[in-house]
Amino acid sequence: MDDRMFRTAMGKFATGVTVIASEADGEVHGMTANAFMSVSLEPKLILISVGKNAKMNQTIEKAQKFTVNILSEAQQEMSMIFAGQLKDRHVVFDTFEGMPVLENSLVSLACKVYNTHEAGDHVLYVGEVINLTLQDGEPLTFFEGKYNLVNS
Ligand code: FAD
């Protein structure tokens, strides 16, 4: 099995899309991620997987907290901005529990780092959810490298 075949296979798993956000030294950094899952109810834990080369690691390591913003179908542009596919866009973040969140997300989870695991070329962050916001709407989805094709 080569890398391309593995990536193609993983792309067959339809997901939602999140933007991870955190703030350190007065600077907010965001990153698009679909490697997100719920882990535990007691305590309330979630997991994200961040590539070792991503700048996001430096911000989370300093702040020891981060938010996960689950995007609605109207927020594809946010996904593209925080994946580096749309450059030089100004994004205004709201603040929730002292952390940056993207307004109009379906869900924003405010998390503190519970523990961290290195896994190959990624770092897994388990976050303890300290509070969340919730609103109705349709999700942005990602399948076979494309947005919102799950039901089309
Ligand atoms: P950068 O590449 O420097 O930042 C990402 C982009 O966000 C840059 O263009 C930057 O200008 C912009 N940005 C950051 N902060 C701000 C701000 N405050 N205001 C305005 N713009 C800002 N990678 C993973 O590691 N794990 C995943 O689970 C994952 N899932 C993905 C899912 C999808 C659907 C896509 C499209 C990409 C995914 N990626 C994932 C890839 C990841 O989003 C990119 O590699 C990203 O560029 C890595 O970000 P970075 O932290 O290295 O920072």
Side-chain angles (χ1 to χ4, degrees):
M1 175 216 341
D2 63 13
D3 291 359
R4 194 171 58 87
M5 190 176 183
F6 182 74
R7 289 174 75 119
T8 301
M10 294 305 102
K12 302 280 185 193
F13 186 57
T15 67
V17 182
T18 77
V19 169
I20 312 300
S22 186
E23 181 171 2
D25 303 328
E27 269 191 46
V28 175
H29 186 77
M31 188 196 96
T32 300
N34 64 348
F36 161 74
M37 64 184 282
S38 170
V39 171
S40 160
L41 190 58
E42 189 51 55
K44 293 178 179 56
L45 303 177
I46 56 89
L47 180 143
I48 56 169
S49 176
V50 178
K52 267 191 180 161
N53 293 329
K55 290 181 194 158
M56 194 74 234
N57 292 299
Q58 295 154 27
T59 311
I60 294 179
E61 276 159 25
K62 276 190 192 163
Q64 288 298 304
K65 53 188 182 177
F66 60 89
T67 65
V68 180
N69 301 274
I70 300 177
L71 301 186
S72 77
E73 63 180 359
Q75 290 176 302
Q76 182 175 329
E77 190 178 333
M78 289 296 145
S79 176
M80 296 177 74
I81 290 172
F82 292 103
Q85 296 163 339
L86 288 174
K87 299 281 185 192
D88 301 323
R89 303 295 171 103
H90 182 65
V91 177
V92 177
F93 286 83
D94 284 348
T95 301
F96 177 62
E97 297 287 348
M99 297 181 223
V101 289
L102 279 181
E103 65 174 1
N104 300 323
S105 301
L106 294 182
V107 172
S108 292
L109 304 170
C111 305
K112 60 181 183 186
V113 174
Y114 185 81
N115 55 35
T116 304
H117 307 271
E118 285 195 18
D121 55 14
H122 277 59
V123 182
L124 308 180
Y125 295 95
V126 178
E128 180 167 7
V129 179
I130 57 173
N131 205 350
L132 62 82
T133 66
L134 189 59
Q135 59 181 274
D136 289 334
E138 296 300 316
L140 183 63
T141 58
F142 198 68
F143 177 61
E144 293 186 330
K146 297 187 183 72
Y147 293 104
N148 279 342
L149 290 181
V150 175
N151 295 313
S152 61

